[in-house]
């Protein structure tokens, strides 16, 4: 009986506990859940913010590894023993500083051989020049023989129609001329013209036509002439003498040329200086026959008289008679050509020998291996006493030098953002190893050598850092580029922007909710600008101070909702729960951050 009594008491206790638990659950559902929902709705409804003036900027961020602005692996093309290497790893070296000195024994021997080859080439050239001159002399002899034969056998002559000195010859033997072809220019020096300066105050236009006495400077011979012109232009001689040029014509008694110098006097007036004679007239000799010139009797600076034979036109009969002479000329010409080729060959040999010698001399500087930059020695691979072979394929570097005067690193920028980045933009940099240190850099290059991974294309953007501070190669850094910035603009929280660029603005005249617009608010269409992820620029639609509705996305409220919407078993007792808005104006790739 006692056992049954205890069992009944136990069952009663269990029943009481079950009733209490049931009452608690029912109480929570009936009292706490509605209160929590009301509290949540109250908090949500009360989430507002005022449109305010603030600064907004969009920042592009990417990480990279610091590299020196330049690094050089010092190599050489020469071979030999290293006889000096006076530096160590970690040393700072300057541009042009000698790092390695290589023994020059082999080079010195090559220079001696090159000098010997050059001397030999010069001697050969002298011999070739002598042979060439002899060939030219022989050619001139055959030419003279040929001209003499032409003079003997020619019957068709072209005569000069003028007399004078030949100033220019337009044709040469072998040319074909036509009737009227120009053969040569001549000048007639039978009348000569002299222009001398007279004191400007002693001459006038009335002297034109008067007789003047001309005195040859070399012979003091006096010749009578006539004044033909008085210059209207005054000019100055040394000693501030003001003169005018007077032109006098004389009949050439013979011997006066365009190089003869003379002075003059007109009555009691004497020229202030001497002058040089010039010819008065010139003419052009033309051909009155057509054909090939077999013989040309015109030479520049030679005298030709009217009726002189100036050339002979060749005929077949004449050619037959002159064939032997022409063959001799051809043979002489071949000798000249061969001799000239030899001279040119010997000249090239000299140039080659000089070049080889200069190359050997220039290589002497290669045996003093210098630092290409100012920087720090990172590795030293070759030491004093080592033998190097610069001509070996794949020969390693002698040492490595970093230029640490500036640093650089690459930022990988998404294809959606790369057009927003420009050379010269400032980059704000932080280093993992230098906490709290602010570093500034500048974009120096935007490479087109892009890479793609899983459909995402990125472009390397090079950043240069001039103020390196404590930065070291290999350090990890993060760069931030301000790609958009707006100062003093009207802005609202991003969570206040509803779908369709709508904003719910506080309006106490609205008593009831309209669709998704809560009571006490009206929907206003706005135009937006840039965003920093928290706030977004508003360019039109609302004004500063307007109170706007903000949708809260607090995790605490979400947890409260989740707790209150679950039963004892943990299963959902209501809808699908609150979701945060996903249509914020802040967009971009993985590298885009906002501030």
């Amino acid at each position: 009986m006692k056992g049954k009594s205890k069992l009944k008491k136990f069952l009663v206790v269990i029943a009481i506990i079950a009733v209490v638990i049931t009452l608690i659950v029912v109480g929570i559902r009936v009292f706490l859940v509605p209160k929590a929902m009301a509290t949540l709705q109250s908090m949500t409804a009360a989430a507002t913010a005022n449109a305010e003036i603030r600064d907004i900027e969009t920042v592009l961020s990417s990480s990279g590894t610091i590299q020196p602005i330049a690094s050089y692996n010092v190599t050489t093309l020469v071979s030999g023993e290293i006889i000096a290497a006076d530096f160590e790893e970690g040393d700072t070296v300057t541009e042009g500083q000698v790092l390695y000195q290589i023994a020059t024994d082999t080079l010195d021997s090559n220079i001696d051989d090159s000098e010997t080859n050059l001397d030999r080439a010069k001697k050969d050239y002298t011999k070739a020049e002598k042979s060439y001159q002899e060939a030219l002399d022989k050619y001139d002899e055959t030419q003279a023989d040929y001209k003499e034969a032409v003079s003997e056998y020619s019957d068709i002559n072209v005569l000069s129609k003028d007399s004078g000195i030949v100033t220019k010859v337009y044709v040469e033997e072998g040319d074909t001329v036509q009737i009227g072809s120009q053969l040569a220019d001549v000048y007639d020096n039978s009348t000569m013209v002299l222009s001398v300066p007279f004191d400007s105050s002693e001459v006038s236009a009335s002297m034109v036509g008067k007789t003047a006495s001309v005195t040859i400077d070399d012979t003091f011979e006096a010749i009578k002439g006539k004044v033909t012109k008085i210059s209207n232009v005054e000019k100055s001689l040394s000693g501030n003498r003001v003169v005018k040029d007077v032109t006098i014509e004389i009949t050439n008694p013979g011997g006066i040329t365009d190089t003869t110098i003379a002075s003059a006097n007109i009555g009691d007036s004497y020229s202030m200086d001497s002058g040089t004679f010039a010819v008065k007239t010139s003419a052009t000799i033309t051909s009155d026959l057509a054909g090939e010139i077999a013989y040309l009797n015109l030479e520049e600076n030679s005298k030709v008289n009217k009726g002189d034979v100036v050339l002979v036109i060749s005929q077949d009969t004449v050619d037959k008679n002159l064939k032997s002479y022409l063959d001799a000329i051809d043979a002489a010409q071949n000798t000249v050509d061969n001799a000239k080729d030899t001279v040119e060959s010997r000249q090239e040999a000299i140039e080659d020998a000089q070049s080889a010698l200069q190359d050997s001399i220039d290589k002497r500087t290669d045996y003093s291996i210098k630092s290409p930059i100012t920087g720090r020695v990172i590795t030293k691979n070759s030491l004093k006493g080592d033998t190097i072979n610069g001509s070996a394929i794949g020969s390693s570097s002698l040492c490595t030098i970093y230029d640490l005067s500036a640093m650089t690193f690459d930022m990988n920028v998404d294809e959606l953002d790369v057009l927003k980045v420009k050379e010269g933009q400032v980059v704000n940099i932080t280093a993992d190893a230098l906490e709290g240190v602010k570093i500034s850099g500048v974009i120096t290059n935007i490479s087109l050598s892009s890479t793609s991974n899983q459909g995402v294309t990125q472009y390397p953007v090079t950043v240069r850092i001039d103020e390196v501070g404590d930065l070291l190669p290999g350090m990890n850094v993060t760069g931030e580029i301000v790609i958009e910035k707006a100062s003093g603009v009207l802005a609202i929280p991003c969570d206040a922007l509803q779908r369709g660029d709508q904003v719910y603005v506080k309006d106490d005249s609205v008593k009831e909710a309209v669709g998704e617009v809560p009571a006490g608010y009206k929907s206003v269409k706005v135009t937006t600008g840039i965003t920093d992820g928290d706030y977004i620029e508003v360019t039109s639609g609302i004004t500063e101070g307007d109170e706007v509705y903000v949708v809260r996305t607090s995790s605490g409220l979400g947890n409260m909702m989740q707790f209150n919407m679950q039963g004892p078993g943990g299963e959902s007792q209501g809808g699908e729960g609150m979701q945060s808005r996903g249509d914020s104006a802040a967009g971009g790739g993985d590298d885009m951050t906002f501030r």
Side-chain angles (χ1 to χ4, degrees):
M1 293 294 291
K2 290 182 179 180
K4 292 181 178 180
S5 177
K6 290 181 179 180
L7 179 59
K8 290 180 178 179
K9 291 181 179 180
F10 177 74
L11 292 175
V12 170
V13 171
I14 292 299
I16 294 172
I17 293 173
V19 171
V20 171
I21 291 174
T22 300
L23 292 174
I24 291 174
V25 171
V26 172
I28 290 174
R29 290 182 178 178
V30 173
F31 298 102
L32 293 183
V33 169
K35 290 181 179 180
M37 291 295 293
T39 300
L40 177 60
Q41 293 175 355
S42 174
M43 292 177 64
T44 301
T48 63
N50 291 331
E52 59 182 348
I53 302 298
R54 63 187 299 122
D55 296 338
I56 299 178
E57 60 182 23
T58 305
V59 177
L60 188 66
S61 177
S62 178
S63 298
T65 303
I66 289 293
Q67 300 293 336
I69 191 65
S71 63
Y72 289 87
N73 291 319
V74 179
T75 59
T76 183
L77 297 177
V78 303
S79 301
E81 180 185 355
I82 299 175
I83 59 176
D86 300 328
F87 69 97
E88 301 298 335
E89 290 184 358
D91 287 354
T92 297
V93 295
T94 58
E95 181 180 353
Q97 177 180 335
V98 176
L99 302 176
Y100 293 96
Q101 183 61 54
I102 313 300
T104 60
D105 298 344
T106 302
L107 178 64
D108 293 338
S109 177
N110 291 339
I111 291 176
D112 291 340
D113 292 343
S114 296
E115 289 175 341
T116 300
N117 292 335
L118 179 58
D119 290 340
R120 185 182 299 112
K122 288 180 177 179
K123 292 178 181 179
D124 292 342
Y125 177 77
T126 301
K127 293 178 181 179
E129 271 196 323
K130 183 179 179 181
S131 298
Y132 178 59
Q133 187 59 51
E134 292 173 351
L136 287 175
D137 292 342
K138 183 63 177 176
Y139 178 77
D140 290 342
E141 290 177 8
T142 57
Q143 284 277 40
D145 293 340
Y146 171 70
K147 289 180 181 180
E148 184 178 352
V150 170
S151 178
E152 292 176 355
Y153 297 118
S154 295
D155 294 323
I156 302 176
N157 302 324
V158 174
L159 307 180
S160 174
K161 299 178 181 63
D162 297 287
S163 298
I165 303 298
V166 178
T167 58
K168 184 174 183 180
V169 178
Y170 292 101
V171 294
E172 59 185 20
E173 291 175 1
D175 287 352
T176 299
V177 295
Q178 305 297 328
I179 297 176
S181 294
Q182 292 182 339
L183 302 180
D185 290 335
V186 296
Y187 69 87
D188 181 4
N189 63 350
S190 59
T191 301
M192 303 295 290
V193 177
L194 177 69
S195 180
V196 289
F198 277 77
D199 190 315
S200 178
S201 64
E202 296 180 357
V203 295
S204 64
S206 63
M207 290 183 173
V208 174
K210 289 186 176 182
T211 299
S213 178
V214 176
T215 303
I216 306 301
D217 282 7
D218 290 340
T219 63
F220 300 102
E221 178 184 359
I223 305 171
K224 295 298 181 180
K226 180 186 292 185
V227 177
T228 59
K229 182 180 179 182
I230 304 293
S231 175
N232 293 323
V233 179
E234 293 183 338
K235 62 182 182 180
S236 297
L237 299 181
S238 60
N240 295 321
R241 294 175 296 169
V242 179
V243 298
K244 289 183 178 180
D245 285 335
V246 176
T247 302
I248 302 170
E249 290 185 5
I250 67 167
T251 299
N252 193 349
I256 297 179
T257 68
D258 57 3
T259 60
T260 302
I261 300 174
S263 58
N265 66 284
I266 307 170
D268 295 332
S269 297
Y270 290 84
S271 63
M272 305 296 290
D273 203 349
S274 299
T276 303
F277 279 103
V279 297
K280 181 180 179 181
T281 60
S282 62
T284 299
I285 300 175
T286 59
S287 176
D288 53 8
L289 297 174
E292 182 180 349
I293 300 175
Y295 170 68
L296 183 65
N297 191 30
L298 290 172
E299 291 185 3
E300 291 182 1
N301 299 319
S302 64
K303 179 89 164 84
V304 64
N305 295 312
K306 184 176 181 179
D308 285 349
V309 175
V310 294
L311 62 82
V312 176
I313 301 301
S314 176
Q315 293 180 341
D316 292 341
T317 55
V318 175
D319 290 340
K320 290 178 181 179
N321 294 332
L322 299 177
K323 187 176 185 306
S324 61
Y325 294 96
L326 293 173
D327 290 343
I329 291 177
D330 290 341
Q333 182 65 59
N334 289 336
T335 302
V336 170
D337 292 341
N338 292 335
K340 184 178 181 181
D341 291 342
T342 302
V343 170
E344 292 176 351
S345 176
R346 295 295 183 263
Q347 179 63 43
E348 291 175 358
I350 290 177
E351 293 173 356
D352 291 343
Q354 288 174 332
S355 178
L357 175 60
Q358 191 60 49
D359 287 345
S360 296
I361 294 174
D362 292 343
K363 286 181 180 178
R364 188 179 294 278
T365 59
D366 295 339
Y367 283 74
S368 296
I369 302 173
K370 300 177 181 180
S371 174
I373 59 170
T374 296
R376 182 178 298 177
V377 179
I378 304 303
T379 59
K380 181 180 180 181
N381 303 318
S382 298
L383 307 176
K384 179 180 179 180
D386 290 350
T387 299
I388 59 175
N389 184 4
S391 60
I393 299 176
S395 56
S396 60
S397 65
L398 304 178
C399 64
T400 301
I401 302 173
Y402 281 0
D403 181 355
L404 302 178
S405 61
M407 299 288 188
T408 185
F409 76 98
D410 285 343
M411 299 176 65
N412 291 319
V413 178
D414 189 274
E415 61 182 316
L416 300 178
D417 304 316
V418 71
L419 295 180
K420 304 173 184 177
V421 178
K422 306 295 180 185
E423 291 184 8
Q425 277 184 299
V426 175
V427 180
N428 299 317
I429 304 165
T430 56
D432 296 348
L434 304 176
E435 187 176 353
V437 177
K438 295 182 178 179
I439 307 166
S440 180
V442 176
I443 296 174
T444 57
N445 183 56
I446 303 171
S447 175
L448 299 181
S449 179
S450 61
T451 58
S452 296
N453 185 20
Q454 296 181 349
V456 177
T457 300
Q458 293 185 320
Y459 293 84
V461 173
T462 302
V463 179
R464 177 188 174 103
I465 305 170
D466 289 319
E467 300 295 333
V468 299
D470 294 327
L471 281 177
L472 297 176
M475 283 186 174
N476 294 317
V477 295
T478 299
E480 294 183 345
I481 308 170
V482 178
I483 59 175
E484 288 184 295
K485 184 174 182 180
S487 300
V489 297
L490 184 65
I492 60 174
C494 290
D495 290 339
L497 186 64
Q498 311 299 322
R499 289 183 179 87
D501 288 338
Q502 300 288 325
V503 174
Y504 303 158
V505 180
K506 185 71 173 179
D507 187 346
D508 293 335
S509 66
V510 179
K511 303 302 182 181
E512 296 181 357
V514 178
E516 295 183 354
V517 183
Y521 294 89
K522 64 179 179 181
S523 179
V524 177
K525 178 75 173 181
V526 296
T527 303
T528 59
I530 69 171
T531 179
D532 62 5
D534 295 325
Y535 285 82
I536 187 168
E537 177 187 5
V538 178
T539 59
S540 66
I542 60 174
T543 59
E544 182 181 2
D546 284 352
E547 186 176 353
V548 298
Y549 181 86
V550 180
V551 177
R552 296 293 189 185
T553 57
S554 170
S555 59
L557 293 176
N559 292 337
M560 180 185 297
M561 174 68 75
Q562 183 178 7
F563 173 79
N564 288 331
M565 295 297 291
Q566 291 181 348
E571 295 181 355
S572 175
Q573 301 298 311
E576 296 179 354
M578 181 180 290
Q579 296 181 351
S580 63
R581 289 177 51 83
D583 56 349
S584 172
D590 294 338
D591 293 327
M592 181 74 78
T593 60
F594 301 96
R595 187 172 63 207

